[in-house]
Amino acid sequence: MKVELSSEKVKSDFVKKVEELSGQNILSCYQCGKCSAGCPSSYAMDLLPSQVIRMVQLGLQDEIVNSKTVWLCASCLTCSVRCPRGVDIAAIFEALRLVVTRDKDKLNYVEPSEITAEQLEELPQIALISNFRKFTG
Amino acid sequence: MKLFYYPGCTVKTKAKNLEASALAAMKELDIELVEVASWNCCGTVFGMSTDDLLHQLAPLRNLLRVKEQGGDKVVTMCSMCYNTLKRANHLIRTDEEKKKLLVDFMSEEPVHYEGEVEVLHLLEVLRDVVGFEKLKEKVKVPLQGLKLDPYYGCMLTRPQEIGLDNLENPTILEDFLVALGAEVIKDPMKTECCGSYHTVNAVEVVVERGYGILNSAVKKGADAMVLSCPLCDYNMDHRQREIVKKYVDFTGIPIFYFTQLLAIALGLETSVNHFDLNYVDPLPLLKKRNFVA
Ligand code: SF4
Ligand code: SF4
């Protein structure tokens, strides 16, 4: 993947926002890859969790927003409890989702009004509420 | 002994088989679970972002209700409620600044809460209040010869502050099942995620996960899987409908709530288990092994 690096991106508001929302110091990550190794969703991700963290360090907002990774994360916390640097990766992914879902120009990732009557009847409430909490603004 | 319990939305509806079996079994163990009055939905997931205090109100209100009603402990049986309530309680206990913001926000309903209420999962009550040794003595129908695969999922044990058991290798379910007389399968998939809320918008993810986790149990010779979370239950049990369609080698395996096996081992009426709400019917297995008539 070809990306363009610049000091503006590294020092951008995007990086600050993600650090603020997640309460994490993004530079703590030393790219060991342990988070990616244990992630149960990584098989389906276009960017591995550790790659997304690296991209946040570099301020690559567009690349992250266009990737499926944070939308495939199930907030299972496997990565967060294993990171040797104590980085709460799941919280960083939550922050990344919020950057998108809180943007008034962007659509919800899941649109509650499109949930069918059949799904409403069948699915447990905890599935629906947690899904909307993660995927709508 | 009386203990307050917080049911949560799913336990009251789709997972009545969890609630009814839990209440009946605990009564048999001389613990009366009293439903907290005026509870509300906990929000199902803990808000992980630092500015998302609005989503801490729902769990805080529930903890307040417990305190107002004179409780110092609240028991949950749904892993998601447990996780959300316990983490919100931890936030109140450890973050003065956020607590103050929450209290100020709730100025119309006076909040006197410092995190005094202890959030417990029913498995903790069985381990720490009843005690597995004592439980063993109360078993009337030992689950002898039944090979069970314990499944923890995520929310029962993670993150660190939950502190229910070891993060990488919890054993509370195994210890519980051994007390009931069952044989326990060692399964490295026991703390793998079921796919959680993706069951709404990405069923294929849950089918993949479910197949991996269930197939591991079957390959290791499990007769059934045991769990505590109604979302894991939906994904492991009800999604077998989709899993058997995609993977022809997989023929299905019954899934129990831990409380259903507790009720059976205590010799309670089968009807308290509401097996009609289980997708894969566990009765043929139980009848074949003479655990129920
Ligand atoms: S486990 Fe932690 S330090 Fe290692 S790559 Fe992931 S975030 Fe970085
Ligand atoms: S929390 Fe998300 S990124 Fe981390 S291991 Fe789980 S699915 Fe992967």
Side-chain angles (χ1 to χ4, degrees):
Chain A
M1 183 191 236
K2 200 173 155 197
V3 295
E4 214 170 284
L5 304 179
S6 69
S7 65
E8 287 80 46
K9 284 186 189 172
V10 175
K11 291 180 191 140
S12 67
D13 285 345
F14 165 72
V15 180
K16 280 191 214 110
K17 189 89 204 150
V18 173
E19 285 198 312
E20 194 184 299
L21 289 176
S22 65
Q24 303 298 303
N25 174 358
I26 198 74
L27 292 176
S28 291
C29 165
Y30 57 16
Q31 287 291 295
C32 69
K34 194 169 182 179
C35 50
S36 301
C39 173
S41 311
S42 64
Y43 76 93
M45 290 172 171
D46 47 357
L47 294 172
L48 295 171
S50 54
Q51 289 176 315
V52 171
I53 301 295
R54 182 70 182 133
M55 288 177 151
V56 179
Q57 292 176 336
L58 297 172
L60 302 174
Q61 177 168 7
D62 294 343
E63 285 79 357
I64 295 171
V65 167
N66 291 327
S67 138
K68 290 190 290 185
T69 294
V70 298
W71 310 105
L72 283 168
C73 165
S75 305
C76 75
L77 307 179
T78 306
C79 52
S80 299
V81 301
R82 286 183 183 167
C83 173
R85 296 284 295 143
V87 178
D88 190 347
I89 299 112
I92 292 173
F93 284 14
E94 181 120 315
L96 291 168
R97 283 187 296 267
L98 288 174
V99 167
V100 176
T101 53
R102 285 180 183 175
D103 184 338
K104 61 175 174 18
D105 299 326
K106 293 225 161 57
L107 297 173
N108 283 331
Y109 185 73
V110 168
E111 196 42 71
S113 60
E114 286 167 13
I115 302 289
T116 63
E118 207 181 24
Q119 280 177 300
L120 283 179
E121 179 62 32
E122 156 103 11
L123 291 166
Q125 293 89 328
I126 40 175
L128 291 162
I129 305 296
S130 54
N131 188 279
F132 300 159
R133 281 280 303 278
K134 297 288 171 180
F135 295 146
T136 67
Chain B
M1 179 186 197
K2 279 188 187 187
L3 283 173
F4 278 107
Y5 93 98
Y6 171 85
C9 313
T10 303
V11 164
K12 279 285 171 198
T13 52
K14 305 278 176 197
K16 271 191 199 133
N17 44 352
L18 171 56
E19 184 187 44
S21 53
L23 296 183
M26 293 316 285
K27 199 167 160 216
E28 186 69 17
L29 296 170
D30 299 321
I31 294 182
E32 190 192 339
L33 294 175
V34 182
E35 186 173 328
V36 182
S38 310
W39 59 269
N40 52 257
C41 171
C42 68
T44 75
V45 284
F46 176 77
M48 288 190 281
S49 101
T50 51
D51 70 346
D52 188 14
L53 286 181
L54 205 58
H55 284 115
Q56 308 299 351
L57 294 176
L60 173 56
R61 281 208 176 95
N62 287 313
L63 296 165
L64 259 174
R65 294 296 92 85
V66 178
K67 190 183 164 190
E68 286 161 5
Q69 289 162 40
D72 59 356
K73 291 185 186 67
V74 63
V75 182
T76 57
M77 39 198 103
C78 165
S79 303
M80 293 190 78
C81 298
Y82 172 63
N83 194 283
T84 307
L85 293 175
K86 192 153 184 184
R87 290 189 77 184
N89 207 28
H90 182 79
L91 181 90
I92 302 287
R93 286 178 180 181
T94 54
D95 196 325
E96 265 305 315
E97 199 183 323
K98 288 204 178 108
K99 190 185 89 189
K100 191 174 174 313
L101 274 169
L102 283 164
V103 170
D104 288 348
F105 186 83
M106 293 168 79
S107 56
E108 281 172 31
E109 39 180 331
V111 180
H112 303 287
Y113 189 70
E114 308 282 336
E116 300 93 326
V117 174
E118 201 71 49
V119 180
L120 298 173
H121 191 272
L122 189 59
L123 276 168
E124 280 176 297
V125 177
L126 288 163
R127 179 187 63 190
D128 305 332
V129 181
V130 178
F132 289 150
E133 277 305 312
K134 253 261 124 19
L135 177 62
K136 202 172 164 185
E137 290 166 20
K138 302 247 181 170
V139 168
K140 292 198 183 106
V141 184
L143 304 178
Q144 219 140 22
L146 202 57
K147 286 193 182 160
L148 299 172
D149 187 272
Y151 179 66
Y152 292 83
C154 310
M155 295 295 115
L156 189 59
T157 55
R158 292 192 281 270
Q160 285 90 340
E161 69 211 41
I162 290 295
L164 176 94
D165 203 342
N166 186 295
L167 281 171
E168 291 290 343
N169 186 21
T171 57
I172 188 168
L173 264 174
E174 282 91 326
D175 300 342
F176 163 75
L177 295 170
V178 167
L180 301 187
E183 218 176 288
V184 179
I185 306 270
K186 269 197 180 163
D187 192 341
M189 300 294 273
K190 69 182 179 182
T191 56
E192 283 280 315
C193 174
C194 69
S196 186
Y197 44 75
H198 285 112
T199 203
V200 177
N201 66 304
V203 178
E204 65 291 352
V205 170
V206 173
V207 166
E208 261 345 280
R209 298 274 180 85
Y211 174 70
I213 295 165
L214 294 169
N215 203 35
S216 167
V218 172
K219 286 233 168 85
K220 291 185 159 50
D223 294 314
M225 175 178 273
V226 188
L227 44 72
S228 79
C229 172
L231 185 48
C232 295
D233 182 73
Y234 183 80
N235 289 344
M236 289 296 141
D237 189 9
H238 296 253
R239 286 288 178 217
Q240 286 190 38
R241 187 182 53 202
E242 284 82 12
I243 298 172
V244 291
K245 274 188 210 148
K246 176 151 187 214
Y247 292 100
V248 285
D249 62 318
F250 180 75
T251 52
I253 176 171
I255 311 293
F256 288 101
Y257 282 118
F258 70 102
T259 51
Q260 292 179 312
L261 289 167
L262 177 61
I264 291 167
L266 293 173
L268 302 182
E269 282 275 332
T270 318
S271 61
V272 303
N273 290 311
H274 290 275
F275 283 132
D276 53 305
L277 292 173
N278 291 50
Y279 177 75
V280 178
D281 186 2
L283 277 171
L285 168 71
L286 294 173
K287 283 183 182 155
K288 199 168 130 203
R289 306 288 182 87
N290 289 322
F291 295 119
V292 301

